[in-house]
Amino acid sequence: MTAIWQQRRSGGPQPRPGDLRTAWQRDRARVLHSAAFRRLQSKTQIMNVGENDFYRTRLTHSLEAAQIGASLINQLQQVSAPELAAMLPDLNLMETLCLAHDIGHPPFGHGGETALNYKMLGAGGFEGNGQTFRIVGKLEAYHPQHGMDLTRRTLLGLLKYPVLMPPLSAPPATSQPISLSQFKPAKALFACDADLLDWVLDPLSNQDRELFQQVQQLPQSPWQRSLHKSLDASLMELADDIAYGVHDLEDAVVTGTLNESQWHGHLDQILVQLPNELAALMQQLGQQLFANEHHLRKNAIGAMVNIFVTAIRLEQVLEAAEQPLIAYNATLPEAERLLLNSLKSVVFEHVINDPAIQQLRYRSQNMLLDLFTALHTEPERLLPRNTRSRWLQAGSQGGPTAADRILCDYVAGMTDDYAERMYRNLFMV
């Protein structure tokens, strides 16, 4: 079974002469040296790139998530039963997943994601995690058809939502939507990448695949939510959540976006729901977080990460599943999960939802809408030669929908800076 999960879709290639690396080490190298990974240095994490030289970009966030992911593996290897520890991804595989998890995000963060989804409603939609899967499996230049040609287990670990996008309706026939908030993407993979999903899940029995791809209808929404992810994906997502909830919190404090009064207004009501020892620790760390001495703030950030890393456990979430990689997930106990969700909520409410941030997001969304419209209207004039060739080929073989997907790939791959420059070139005197 192990050999199946180390297979690549191309069937190879064989290691170069003298190359003694494992399959996971080779996967990690491919991600690190990819153009999509380099572009993360100029993509928004929360605050717009260039506004400050302190806070995180998508690149530094991914590096921090990888470090946290390695800490999670180290913790679980030491506290888990031997048969459970044997299932864990090794450090190279864990770092690969964390380094790659955001490479599908478009310019301008989740605002850009919603804008692209709106423009792609008539051609299969857009979602950042689906684009990550598409980049590593089809678009990057390591293989002519299979992208980075990563191992099957690595691709399985990148599947936060192992289901296909539901049928979508084309947007209203207006130049711009009244509000983009109603066009947030469904959490799913693109239908055009169904062949890649089938290959990744091929080792699963029919029963396991049916269990793994269960969905739940979301209340007051046309979308469904996938209910399950693999063990590796659960570890990657937890590392991502910790980096978001704790390290992005540091950005908010240092830049003054979150003050001590706002912190207490949000967290104090959570502390009363926590065990006494954890609540007392968080009160102490909250004081350090807003101390004038920088080393105290750094200690608070590290101690918060430690709370979650040391609480992690392995839990059987699909008891009927035969394949251990989907039967088990990494989870947090109820109290630690409540605390982590609360930290993420603080970041969302006082940083992401801050009017100044939302004004920048609104501006950026409209820039991306206009860029996509221009490129869609005049693709043969405005697209770079290589992209134009792919666009023409896709259109001749798959029609307008396939051509639109190539156009979307191009726009989604832009950095914030590149999108800004192209917008100025096209629309500003």
Side-chain angles (χ1 to χ4, degrees):
M1 183 60 75
T2 301
I4 292 177
W5 294 107
Q6 292 190 29
Q7 287 177 352
R8 303 180 189 277
R9 199 176 183 199
S10 67
Q14 296 302 312
R16 297 184 180 97
D19 187 352
L20 301 179
R21 293 176 298 169
T22 67
W24 321 125
Q25 288 172 324
R26 295 171 70 197
D27 280 0
R28 181 179 181 273
R30 291 181 183 195
V31 170
L32 267 176
H33 294 288
S34 67
F37 181 73
R38 289 196 301 276
R39 291 189 183 107
L40 295 178
Q41 66 186 307
S42 188
K43 287 195 178 187
T44 293
Q45 170 62 10
I46 290 182
M47 302 179 188
N48 278 31
V49 171
E51 295 293 322
N52 189 290
D53 63 359
F54 176 85
Y55 55 66
R56 275 84 179 168
T57 64
R58 287 275 174 193
L59 178 65
T60 57
H61 162 76
S62 298
L63 293 171
E64 288 174 335
Q67 186 274 322
I68 293 171
S71 296
L72 295 175
I73 296 299
N74 181 66
Q75 178 75 14
L76 285 172
Q77 284 175 337
Q78 298 188 57
V79 302
S80 302
E83 63 272 16
L84 296 180
M87 299 188 310
L88 293 170
D90 82 346
L91 293 178
N92 291 288
L93 174 54
M94 188 71 253
E95 290 189 3
T96 300
L97 299 177
C98 293
L99 292 172
H101 82 280
D102 264 354
I103 61 175
H105 273 271
F108 311 126
H110 288 289
E113 181 183 42
T114 303
L116 279 182
N117 183 57
Y118 172 76
K119 284 297 187 180
M120 287 293 291
L121 286 175
F126 180 84
E127 199 274 332
N129 295 286
Q131 188 69 11
T132 293
F133 190 65
R134 181 168 170 79
I135 287 171
V136 299
K138 292 189 175 181
L139 300 183
E140 268 288 346
Y142 287 85
H143 189 277
Q145 288 88 38
H146 305 309
M148 295 186 196
D149 197 26
L150 302 179
T151 58
R152 184 183 263 117
R153 180 165 178 175
T154 298
L155 293 174
L156 179 70
L158 288 171
L159 288 177
K160 290 181 69 172
Y161 317 109
V163 295
L164 296 177
M165 194 76 73
L168 303 171
S169 301
T174 58
S175 58
Q176 297 286 42
I178 297 174
S179 171
L180 280 177
S181 61
Q182 59 185 304
F183 297 106
K184 292 180 180 178
K187 301 297 185 181
L189 307 176
F190 309 134
C192 60
D193 298 323
D195 58 327
L196 180 58
L197 176 62
D198 287 339
W199 181 80
V200 173
L201 300 184
D202 186 61
L204 301 182
S205 66
N206 290 336
Q207 174 185 300
D208 273 9
R209 179 162 179 172
E210 185 175 340
L211 287 169
F212 187 54
Q213 294 187 290
Q214 290 179 97
V215 296
Q216 178 186 59
Q217 183 66 45
L218 294 176
Q220 300 178 332
S221 170
W223 305 141
Q224 297 174 323
R225 178 182 64 186
S226 61
L227 294 176
H228 303 293
K229 55 182 60 68
S230 69
L231 168 63
D232 299 350
S234 72
L235 283 159
M236 175 266 287
E237 186 172 50
L238 185 54
D240 183 24
D241 282 352
I242 295 171
Y244 169 65
V246 180
H247 288 298
D248 289 346
L249 173 67
E250 182 183 17
D251 284 358
V253 172
V254 172
T255 58
T257 311
L258 175 69
N259 61 45
E260 193 167 4
S261 175
Q262 293 168 326
W263 166 264
H264 285 294
H266 191 99
L267 258 293
D268 287 354
Q269 58 187 324
I270 302 299
L271 296 185
V272 298
Q273 304 176 51
L274 301 178
N276 292 337
E277 185 177 348
L278 181 56
L281 175 58
M282 282 303 300
Q283 285 181 326
Q284 176 187 348
L285 296 180
Q287 293 173 352
Q288 294 181 9
L289 189 64
F290 292 92
N292 291 327
E293 296 88 348
H294 291 178
H295 71 277
L296 293 178
R297 185 189 70 240
K298 295 304 295 186
N299 179 72
I301 292 298
M304 287 183 195
V305 172
N306 184 68
I307 288 172
F308 305 116
V309 170
T310 56
I312 191 174
R313 61 191 182 187
L314 294 179
E315 180 181 354
Q316 191 170 9
V317 294
L318 276 177
E319 294 185 4
E322 303 167 7
Q323 171 53 246
L325 288 180
I326 66 169
Y328 287 86
N329 274 186
T331 63
L332 289 174
E334 184 177 348
E336 284 78 8
R337 173 48 70 180
L338 173 63
L339 176 59
L340 181 54
N341 288 344
S342 299
L343 294 181
K344 291 168 62 180
S345 296
V346 168
V347 173
F348 179 82
E349 181 58 35
H350 295 291
V351 183
I352 296 175
N353 231 14
D354 181 79
I357 298 295
Q358 287 301 315
Q359 288 166 16
L360 286 171
R361 175 170 289 190
Y362 181 82
R363 170 182 173 272
S364 300
Q365 282 182 321
N366 280 281
M367 285 173 50
L368 216 56
L369 291 171
D370 289 341
L371 266 180
F372 191 98
T373 298
L375 294 169
H376 189 269
T377 303
E378 297 277 7
E380 296 193 59
R381 289 181 62 192
L382 302 179
L383 287 176
R385 286 187 174 86
N386 286 342
T387 305
R388 184 172 61 204
S389 297
R390 293 195 298 271
W391 178 85
L392 288 168
Q393 182 180 12
S396 65
Q397 295 177 354
T401 297
D404 283 352
R405 181 58 63 188
I406 299 300
L407 176 59
C408 183
D409 291 336
Y410 173 61
V411 177
M414 294 180 180
T415 63
D416 295 16
D417 293 339
Y418 186 92
E420 289 254 16
R421 285 197 303 272
M422 179 169 282
Y423 182 85
R424 287 197 301 269
N425 289 340
L426 292 178
F427 297 105
M428 299 180 71
V429 178

